[in-house]
Amino acid sequence: MQEVALPDVDSILISAPGKVILFGEHAVVYGKSAVAASLGLRTYAWMRPTGDQTVTLRLPDICSSAIQWDLTALSDFVTSHNVVSSCEPTSLTDNKEAAAQPLLKSIAMVPGARQASLAFLHLYTSLFKEPQGIEVCVRSALPVGAGLGSSASYSVCIAAGLLALNGYVKMPKMSNTAYDATELKLVNDWAFVSEKVIHGNPSGVDNAVSTYGGAMLYTNGKMEPLNGFKSIQFILTDTCVPKNTKAQVENVRIRRVQFGPILDPLMDSMQGISNTCKDLFGALEQSDITLSDVLTGMEELVDMNHCILAACGVSHPSLERIRQLTARYGLRSKLTGAGGGGCALTLLRDDTGVDLIEKVKSELRAESFRCFETSVGCHGVRWASLPLDSKDWMDHWKHFVENRNVDWNILSNI
Amino acid sequence: MQEVALPDVDSILISAPGKVILFGEHAVVYGKSAVAASLGLRTYAWMRPTGDQTVTLRLPDICSSAIQWDLTALSDFVTSHNVVSSCEPTSLTDNKEAAAQPLLKSIAMVPGARQASLAFLHLYTSLFKEPQGIEVCVRSALPVGAGLGSSASYSVCIAAGLLALNGYVKMPKMSNTAYDATELKLVNDWAFVSEKVIHGNPSGVDNAVSTYGGAMLYTNGKMEPLNGFKSIQFILTDTCVPKNTKAQVENVRIRRVQFGPILDPLMDSMQGISNTCKDLFGALEQSDITLSDVLTGMEELVDMNHCILAACGVSHPSLERIRQLTARYGLRSKLTGAGGGGCALTLLRDDTGVDLIEKVKSELRAESFRCFETSVGCHGVRWASLPLDSKDWMDHWKHFVENRNVDWNILSNI
């Protein structure tokens, strides 16, 4: 393999948030609305053209060694498979997936890495007119597989980065966050293509929230931005009890067969919660109420929604323990996602003292829960170029690729 | 006052159960059905004609000294107030209540005792054709003021006893428990008269459950016996957090004004729970399912109903603690009554081991809760005569009147 000099182009740094379900999990399965919002824990991708003959994908969070393909193999694959480069979002076909198998041999046994690589390969071969050497590293502050949209934020990052590298979307300089609607739609559509590779049949809400940020009302496949939604502080607590979304959805289905006249009204009640959340932020936008009023309302919604989900049978002793512990400090918590383990959200008010938050977090950690103090409703995807010869680039890349624990603060400007 | 020899009549021992709300508390305020059932903790009254010139009412549980009236004062009151003796249930009028004030002076300041005495006086003066010396002692295994129907069971006891002493209902010998429907209706109607004196505006469900036993579906003032209802074992735990029914009802009212589209479906869901409970026992009566199936269903209903009530905002940390603690042993608990403290029910299965029950009870007690292992759905009022000269009578009466803690087991045959 021939080493060539770095081309005179910039690197791209991309970030995209995770997501949480604020309200209406499970109800959404029965045609009711859920409120999904972006999560302040983000996934970051760094891409740089190398000018060499290799495409390198580094996923240090799920795979210790770099995944590499040489351009000859990729060119052969593209040619043999008549891949036409275009920015028109195109799903991975069964034929193309089959043809890509030889390229995935090395990571076939690494959980998560195979699908992530396949999604990357599909986007790479669809968007590059001609294979070029690039190096990509993706890191995430999100716990993987915790129902927090880590795969969607990965998909959004690689979609945005590969589109930008190929000039399908503008490549702004750092700190310029004006992305136009057409660009965002293109990123979202390609991210959805990637999500389908990873998940099979995703709803599209995760990548939409990760792309656009803020909060959305999701009903029967339709998404509606929640106007007036303000970023809200939460403690996100991972119970570390493995979640099993499929099993929980099945539990609720069975319970609904057995107790329809009890469960159906609970779904209606959750629709009421999602609507009330929308109304609260609508009223805030109209300046009819204050943010403090909204938070007071949200506290009640958090409590009610958790209890209704518990009535659906999807709570867990660890989630109840988090509620009990945080309630002692006047804080309201709810499970988020499928339940039966997984994560809980604890709502913080603007006037919740730092000392109190630290105390609650330390108590939660003392019970072996993982805690993140974060926000919900933050900005969506961002991408920007950073000159390869800048000191920032050199320092950050090294830190980004090599450290087991990334200091996310150094990336806070994207 | 002239002492006269005891007349050659028997004493009467009466017992009546307390009640619990099994399902649908609060929903019942909004026209939905609640399931109320008799509680194995009973109130006992012992009445004996003395032949002397005094009516003595002993309520050792709420008033340390005996309440006494001499027959002259009672005769004057009856004559001055044109009281007509009849077994036709007649409510206390404002005029009669005002006229009775001088007779209540001694216990005007004892909480509970004034209303209990007034109710007794009203029934006594309505049912005795001519005042006669009697002695009455009422004791209860029920915690007073815990929402467990202690006043209703008191009302049922004095109604049954005074009706029996006056021959309006038969006076069976001990162990004969065949009461006819007309007699029970008369007892229930007079107990309701007494309840109105004590509570002002009772629903009538407490005295009906105490009179008839078993379980009832109560909807908008209408009562329907729950056919096929079997006595079920529970641990009843008093949180010792004072309940305030009025405040909790008001909390739910306010929450419903604020969050109608969330709360209204919760009330519908509770209607579904009450209906499902009825259906379960209906199916048991038809032998379509086994008692074990019923209990499995009841476990789910207990869990769901508690969570829905929690969503209505009427749980309390102490109630959640009881749920948490009992859940560790695979047992399901719910608040019963208005919530915000008060009592919790923990469902036991037929195959729940004695050791496990003892362990749970001892853990609950270690947290300063009061625990009773009892049943729900037991028999209603019973009354029977016991010869005054029997050894049983002498021993039991002494024990009954004098002991701070009654050994309820010695009364288990009534």
Side-chain angles (χ1 to χ4, degrees):
Chain A
M1 201 181 307
Q2 190 197 339
E3 277 286 332
V4 294
L6 284 182
D8 185 21
V9 292
D10 294 340
S11 70
I12 319 176
L13 184 57
I14 313 118
S15 84
K19 75 101 205 345
V20 283
I21 304 287
L22 275 184
F23 301 116
E25 39 274 269
H26 287 286
V28 77
V29 177
Y30 301 97
K32 308 297 175 186
S33 304
V35 177
S38 61
L39 182 66
L41 303 175
R42 304 176 75 85
T43 295
Y44 295 83
W46 217 316
M47 297 191 183
R48 64 174 184 115
T50 54
D52 66 14
Q53 298 296 307
T54 318
V55 170
T56 306
L57 176 61
R58 299 180 190 273
L59 305 171
D61 296 317
I62 55 174
C63 186
S64 55
S65 50
I67 304 152
Q68 289 192 311
W69 301 279
D70 67 64
L71 290 191
T72 319
L74 289 179
S75 292
D76 289 351
F77 168 65
V78 166
T79 311
S80 73
H81 209 67
N82 300 318
V83 177
V84 182
S85 168
S86 149
C87 77
E88 190 64 37
T90 318
S91 295
L92 176 66
T93 60
D94 290 347
N95 283 345
K96 188 174 173 189
E97 179 170 355
Q101 293 313 312
L103 298 170
L104 300 166
K105 261 188 195 156
S106 69
I107 37 89
M109 305 304 288
V110 184
R114 188 191 171 281
Q115 293 311 102
S117 304
L118 179 59
F120 174 84
L121 264 186
H122 174 58
L123 267 60
Y124 177 92
T125 52
S126 302
L127 291 169
F128 273 84
K129 293 185 185 73
E130 196 174 314
Q132 285 180 30
I134 62 170
E135 183 168 12
V136 177
C137 182
V138 186
R139 300 294 305 257
S140 187
L142 287 158
V144 173
L148 299 173
S150 61
S151 80
S153 60
Y154 167 82
S155 294
V156 170
C157 282
I158 61 164
L162 294 175
L163 285 163
L165 275 182
N166 286 281
Y168 292 121
V169 297
K170 285 188 302 289
M171 203 190 298
K173 300 288 175 201
M174 192 64 85
S175 302
N176 179 354
T177 57
Y179 306 101
D180 73 30
T182 317
E183 288 183 347
L184 289 174
K185 184 172 183 316
L186 195 59
V187 169
N188 187 45
D189 289 349
W190 274 107
F192 188 49
V193 167
S194 166
E195 278 282 89
K196 283 193 279 189
V197 176
I198 299 175
H199 283 303
N201 189 26
S203 67
V205 69
D206 287 16
N207 51 281
V209 166
S210 185
T211 301
Y212 295 103
M216 291 195 185
L217 206 66
Y218 176 83
T219 322
N220 263 333
K222 279 184 296 193
M223 281 168 267
E224 178 190 348
L226 254 179
N227 294 327
F229 195 87
K230 287 274 177 300
S231 177
I232 292 176
Q233 299 299 306
F234 280 91
I235 298 171
L236 175 78
T237 307
D238 187 351
T239 60
C240 303
V241 176
K243 72 172 189 77
N244 183 336
T245 302
K246 213 166 162 181
Q248 295 302 325
V249 168
E250 178 63 6
N251 285 346
V252 175
R253 192 192 65 77
I254 291 169
R255 184 172 287 230
R256 190 160 162 271
V257 168
Q258 202 180 354
F259 300 115
I262 303 169
L263 268 279
D264 286 342
L266 296 182
M267 302 306 167
D268 294 337
S269 186
M270 284 198 265
Q271 178 71 64
I273 288 177
S274 291
N275 291 348
T276 305
C277 174
K278 185 187 164 195
D279 293 347
L280 280 172
F281 285 101
L284 178 66
E285 201 183 21
Q286 300 295 316
S287 302
D288 292 341
I289 58 175
T290 66
L291 183 60
S292 174
D293 297 333
V294 171
L295 289 169
T296 302
M298 290 281 281
E299 286 180 336
E300 300 300 324
L301 298 184
V302 161
D303 243 358
M304 288 190 284
N305 201 163
H306 179 87
C307 293
I308 294 167
L309 287 165
C312 293
V314 297
S315 189
H316 183 274
S318 62
L319 293 163
E320 295 302 319
R321 177 68 184 137
I322 292 166
R323 273 174 57 78
Q324 182 189 41
L325 199 152
T326 55
R328 282 191 203 138
Y329 295 93
L331 302 177
R332 316 295 185 96
S333 306
K334 74 179 278 291
L335 71 86
T336 178
C343 292
L345 285 175
T346 302
L347 181 62
L348 301 175
R349 299 187 65 106
D350 288 359
D351 56 1
T352 309
V354 176
D355 291 353
L356 188 144
I357 296 171
E358 286 308 316
K359 197 154 185 207
V360 171
K361 280 175 11 189
S362 94
E363 283 201 27
L364 287 165
R365 285 174 182 147
E367 307 218 359
S368 301
F369 298 127
R370 283 179 76 193
C371 266
F372 307 87
E373 189 182 338
T374 184
S375 61
V376 157
C378 50
H379 60 273
V381 65
R382 288 195 178 167
W383 64 91
S385 63
L386 198 64
L388 275 179
D389 53 3
S390 73
K391 169 105 175 52
D392 273 1
W393 155 253
M394 302 295 280
D395 291 350
H396 291 177
W397 172 259
K398 209 170 140 67
H399 177 78
F400 197 64
V401 173
E402 294 176 0
N403 277 44
R404 188 175 166 76
N405 295 309
V406 177
D407 176 6
W408 304 111
N409 291 324
I410 66 167
L411 298 166
S412 60
N413 55 347
I414 185 79
Chain B
M1 201 184 305
Q2 193 196 340
E3 278 286 334
V4 293
L6 286 179
D8 186 20
V9 292
D10 293 342
S11 69
I12 318 177
L13 183 58
I14 313 119
S15 83
K19 76 101 203 351
V20 283
I21 304 287
L22 275 184
F23 301 115
E25 40 275 268
H26 287 286
V28 76
V29 177
Y30 301 96
K32 308 296 174 189
S33 304
V35 177
S38 60
L39 181 67
L41 303 175
R42 304 176 75 85
T43 295
Y44 295 85
W46 219 317
M47 298 191 183
R48 65 176 182 114
T50 53
D52 67 15
Q53 296 298 306
T54 318
V55 170
T56 305
L57 176 62
R58 297 179 192 274
L59 305 172
D61 296 317
I62 55 173
C63 185
S64 55
S65 50
I67 304 154
Q68 289 192 311
W69 300 280
D70 67 64
L71 290 191
T72 321
L74 289 178
S75 291
D76 289 351
F77 168 66
V78 167
T79 312
S80 72
H81 209 68
N82 299 318
V83 176
V84 183
S85 168
S86 150
C87 76
E88 189 63 37
T90 317
S91 294
L92 176 65
T93 60
D94 289 347
N95 282 346
K96 189 176 172 187
E97 178 169 357
Q101 292 315 311
L103 298 168
L104 301 166
K105 260 188 200 158
S106 69
I107 37 87
M109 306 303 291
V110 184
R114 188 191 171 281
Q115 292 314 100
S117 303
L118 178 60
F120 174 83
L121 264 186
H122 174 58
L123 267 60
Y124 177 92
T125 53
S126 301
L127 292 169
F128 273 86
K129 294 185 184 72
E130 197 174 311
Q132 284 180 29
I134 62 170
E135 184 168 9
V136 177
C137 183
V138 186
R139 299 297 303 259
S140 186
L142 287 158
V144 174
L148 299 173
S150 61
S151 80
S153 61
Y154 167 84
S155 294
V156 170
C157 283
I158 60 165
L162 294 174
L163 284 163
L165 275 183
N166 287 279
Y168 291 121
V169 297
K170 286 187 301 290
M171 203 188 298
K173 299 289 175 201
M174 193 63 86
S175 302
N176 179 353
T177 57
Y179 307 100
D180 74 29
T182 317
E183 288 183 348
L184 288 175
K185 184 174 184 315
L186 196 59
V187 169
N188 186 46
D189 290 348
W190 274 106
F192 188 48
V193 167
S194 167
E195 277 282 89
K196 284 195 277 190
V197 175
I198 298 174
H199 282 303
N201 189 25
S203 69
V205 70
D206 287 16
N207 51 280
V209 166
S210 184
T211 301
Y212 295 102
M216 290 193 186
L217 205 66
Y218 176 84
T219 321
N220 264 335
K222 279 183 295 193
M223 280 168 270
E224 178 190 346
L226 256 180
N227 295 327
F229 195 87
K230 286 275 178 298
S231 178
I232 292 177
Q233 298 300 305
F234 280 90
I235 298 172
L236 175 78
T237 307
D238 187 350
T239 60
C240 303
V241 175
K243 73 173 187 76
N244 183 336
T245 301
K246 215 168 161 179
Q248 294 303 325
V249 168
E250 177 63 5
N251 285 346
V252 175
R253 191 192 66 76
I254 291 170
R255 184 172 287 232
R256 192 161 162 268
V257 168
Q258 203 180 352
F259 300 115
I262 303 169
L263 269 279
D264 285 343
L266 296 182
M267 301 305 167
D268 294 337
S269 186
M270 285 200 265
Q271 177 72 63
I273 288 178
S274 291
N275 291 348
T276 306
C277 174
K278 185 186 163 195
D279 293 347
L280 281 172
F281 286 101
L284 178 67
E285 201 182 22
Q286 301 295 317
S287 303
D288 293 340
I289 58 175
T290 66
L291 183 58
S292 174
D293 298 332
V294 171
L295 289 170
T296 302
M298 289 282 280
E299 285 181 337
E300 299 300 324
L301 298 185
V302 161
D303 244 358
M304 290 191 279
N305 201 162
H306 179 87
C307 294
I308 295 168
L309 287 165
C312 293
V314 298
S315 189
H316 184 273
S318 62
L319 294 163
E320 295 302 319
R321 177 68 184 138
I322 291 166
R323 272 175 57 78
Q324 182 189 41
L325 200 151
T326 55
R328 281 192 205 139
Y329 295 93
L331 302 177
R332 317 294 185 97
S333 305
K334 74 179 279 288
L335 71 85
T336 177
C343 292
L345 285 175
T346 301
L347 181 62
L348 301 176
R349 299 188 66 107
D350 287 1
D351 56 2
T352 309
V354 176
D355 291 351
L356 187 145
I357 296 172
E358 286 308 316
K359 195 153 186 212
V360 171
K361 281 176 9 189
S362 95
E363 282 201 29
L364 287 166
R365 284 175 181 144
E367 306 218 359
S368 303
F369 298 128
R370 284 180 75 192
C371 265
F372 307 87
E373 189 181 338
T374 183
S375 61
V376 157
C378 51
H379 61 273
V381 64
R382 287 194 179 169
W383 64 92
S385 63
L386 197 65
L388 275 179
D389 53 4
S390 73
K391 169 98 174 56
D392 273 359
W393 154 253
M394 302 295 278
D395 290 350
H396 292 178
W397 172 259
K398 211 170 140 64
H399 176 78
F400 197 63
V401 173
E402 293 175 2
N403 276 45
R404 188 173 166 78
N405 296 309
V406 177
D407 176 6
W408 303 111
N409 291 325
I410 66 167
L411 298 165
S412 60
N413 55 347
I414 185 80

